[in-house]
Amino acid sequence: MTTAPYHVEGEARSRRFLVTCDHASHSVPGDLGGTLGLPREDMARHIAYDVGALGTARALAVALDAPLVHAGFSRLVIDPNRGEDDPTLLMKLYDGTIIPGNRHADAAERTRRLEQYWRPYHDAIERLAARREDVVLVAMHSFTPQLRGRPPRPWHVGILHAWDSRLSDPLIARLQAQEGLVVGRNQPYPGHLPGDSMHRNALMHGRHNTLIELRSDLIETADAQAEWGARLAPLLRAALDDTD
């Protein structure tokens, strides 16, 4: 069985938004053992992919009438949300779990995975983004409610951004106005890593962008994913109106 580097859904949709999902899949190619030497239960955890993110991204893309590009490989194969020179591009230890299939990966193997998976995925994003000069990138992610040995994370949703917060600022304001939501700015992760997906595909081109992190226990089911996609779409449209 082969592992595709990316998938595109709704390519004919031509509205301003473009939705991406970097950590959509826990698929590992057969030449890496199908699991990188990990037990199946670890491949179902957040270390291998963002639980619930793909279904939510699909619902959001439909609600926005936008194309969706999502990676077809696990973040443990090579992380599409890291720069090519990032030391965590190819993880050997994640949330207390050793990744056996990556322990002895050398520079040549790193380059092979870049060429086979990482670069084609980003090329696909750029091809779709380049169709419009005013494209807006929205990246969908999820985060685990609690890392091993760490306190529970209080946020329901986090909005991540770097220096360009034109879209994130009004989006955060609208989310904070929603009753009962705990919203984090650049939580639970920093909003910018040099060379990451938003840096490469949005910031370097001056494109409007935001990255949405939803706590994964809120989007475990298909119904919850559909509800969040429908909930976020009008907030994004309104936030974008504030930037124009």
Side-chain angles (χ1 to χ4, degrees):
M1 182 180 294
T2 59
T3 297
Y6 66 89
H7 302 278
V8 176
E9 300 181 16
E11 185 163 358
R13 301 170 194 155
S14 58
R15 297 295 176 90
R16 191 171 172 186
F17 286 97
L18 171 60
V19 179
T20 65
C21 191
D22 297 334
H23 300 148
S25 175
H26 55 185
S27 177
V28 175
D31 62 0
L32 294 174
T35 66
L36 288 163
L38 289 169
R40 294 288 177 182
E41 54 267 29
D42 274 336
M43 292 305 300
R45 293 176 57 221
H46 73 99
I47 64 171
Y49 76 122
D50 281 1
V51 177
L54 177 57
T56 309
R58 281 177 168 148
L60 179 62
V62 169
L64 291 172
D65 193 26
L68 166 66
V69 185
H70 56 93
F73 54 94
S74 170
R75 67 196 302 169
L76 297 179
V77 173
I78 192 164
D79 195 331
N81 195 32
R82 296 293 185 272
E84 291 197 29
D85 298 322
D86 193 302
T88 64
L89 179 69
L90 204 157
M91 293 290 284
K92 300 187 177 185
L93 176 69
Y94 193 178
D95 195 18
T97 298
I98 294 172
I99 317 303
N102 290 346
R103 287 182 66 185
H104 304 294
D106 58 14
E109 175 62 11
R110 177 180 168 280
T111 297
R112 185 186 75 84
R113 296 189 201 180
L114 277 169
E115 292 179 350
Q116 191 162 352
Y117 302 105
W118 193 98
R119 289 172 183 153
Y121 170 66
H122 287 289
D123 288 347
I125 295 174
E126 178 55 28
R127 178 176 63 83
L128 286 171
R131 298 190 306 176
R132 292 186 63 131
E133 291 185 359
D134 61 350
V135 72
V136 179
L137 267 68
V138 178
M140 180 60 62
H141 289 255
S142 73
F143 63 94
T144 190
Q146 185 173 11
L147 293 171
R148 288 176 174 174
R150 303 284 185 88
R153 290 163 157 174
W155 310 281
H156 298 107
V157 57
I159 301 300
L160 276 56
H161 63 84
W163 59 83
D164 182 357
S165 61
R166 289 173 295 171
L167 180 61
S168 296
D169 287 342
L171 178 59
I172 289 170
R174 280 170 169 75
L175 286 165
Q176 289 174 333
Q178 301 256 311
E179 185 176 356
L181 273 190
V182 180
V183 182
R185 180 189 293 271
N186 288 334
Q187 297 287 357
Y189 306 110
H192 176 235
L193 293 170
D196 67 12
S197 190
M198 277 303 189
H199 187 178
R200 179 185 179 94
N201 298 308
L203 295 172
M204 291 178 64
H205 304 274
R207 294 166 175 155
H208 282 306
N209 68 92
T210 194
L211 189 154
I212 301 171
E213 289 271 5
L214 287 169
R215 205 174 68 201
S216 61
D217 61 321
L218 302 178
I219 50 171
E220 289 178 334
T221 67
D223 285 348
Q225 293 158 19
E227 288 170 7
W228 269 100
R231 183 178 187 176
L232 289 167
L235 300 178
L236 280 161
R237 289 196 194 96
L240 183 59
D241 287 344
D242 286 350
T243 71
D244 294 331

